[in-house]
Amino acid sequence: MKMAEIPKLIEQFFLSFDVDQRLNRFSFFLIRQDGVILYQNKKDPKFNSHSIGALLGGVWQASAALSEFIPTQRKEIDYRLSFDTSSEGIYIVPVDIEVDQFYLGLIYYNEVNPGLVKTKIRDIANSLTEYLKMEKGTSFEVKPQHARVLFEDITDAEMDRLFSFSKN
């Protein structure tokens, strides 16, 4: 599978996937490792999607770097990231696509059962993985030798603009 095919397959998946309304009332995003959003379930004027993608990617990378201090190493796909209270928060899970690293992030609030919405996000990630494997078999192309690093070549002016949350 070529990287160029991924966005179209992702779009087809979400068009055919019946997202539970309990989950669909919140914003969720599928992003690449570098913070580029490949899918978001709704456009919310209070969210700057580029900033959301960069922040989700950045918080995941920071957490993954911190996890290297844990004596027993696990694969990244085994982890999930949760920053929450009993009724609201942010939840990020990796999506097992062998071409590159992708993450499904959820921003939720006023939720009586956050465990349920987290389970539903994990189910979507698993279903997306299975869908992509069925669509193209298991013939994923090999990952590039050097992975993209978020903010690797970004200027100070671009960082200021990225986190200004103003409409330009």
Side-chain angles (χ1 to χ4, degrees):
M1 176 182 306
K2 300 212 185 304
M3 256 319 245
E5 297 172 347
I6 298 273
K8 183 174 174 78
L9 289 172
I10 288 169
E11 181 181 339
Q12 289 172 352
F13 170 80
F14 280 106
L15 286 173
S16 66
F17 190 82
D18 187 24
V19 177
D20 184 289
Q21 287 308 309
R22 182 175 196 138
L23 181 64
N24 212 27
R25 67 188 176 112
F26 305 121
S27 296
F28 61 88
F29 308 84
L30 181 71
I31 64 166
R32 290 190 324 214
Q33 178 182 4
D34 61 359
V36 172
I37 293 181
L38 299 174
Y39 176 81
Q40 68 185 85
N41 66 326
K42 61 171 108 178
K43 305 278 187 201
D44 191 329
K46 66 181 175 184
F47 291 139
N48 177 324
S49 59
H50 298 294
S51 294
I52 297 284
L55 291 168
L56 287 174
V59 75
W60 183 271
Q61 285 186 25
S63 298
L66 284 170
S67 75
E68 292 178 13
F69 293 104
I70 300 171
T72 56
Q73 288 294 310
R74 302 183 102 180
K75 295 183 296 187
E76 186 172 309
I77 197 69
D78 293 333
Y79 285 98
R80 52 207 175 275
L81 179 70
S82 186
F83 182 78
D84 57 11
T85 66
S86 61
S87 64
E88 60 192 18
I90 294 131
Y91 188 63
I92 306 170
V93 295
V95 178
D96 189 16
I97 302 173
E98 297 171 19
V99 178
D100 201 354
Q101 294 186 6
F102 296 87
Y103 308 102
L104 192 57
L106 168 71
I107 299 172
Y108 64 95
Y109 48 89
N110 295 331
E111 176 54 47
V112 175
N113 189 351
L116 179 63
V117 294
K118 290 176 182 180
T119 298
K120 290 181 181 297
I121 280 292
R122 286 192 308 271
D123 289 346
I124 290 174
N126 292 332
S127 295
L128 178 57
T129 298
E130 292 305 313
Y131 173 80
L132 291 172
K133 285 181 180 177
M134 283 185 344
E135 275 301 309
K136 294 297 179 179
T138 56
S139 62
F140 290 104
E141 32 174 71
V142 178
K143 287 183 186 178
Q145 288 298 341
H146 88 84
R148 292 181 296 252
V149 176
L150 191 61
F151 304 132
E152 184 175 48
D153 297 323
I154 195 164
T155 66
D156 288 341
E158 289 170 321
M159 286 297 292
D160 290 343
R161 196 170 51 241
L162 179 66
F163 294 107
S164 70
F165 297 100
S166 66
K167 297 183 183 197
N168 295 332

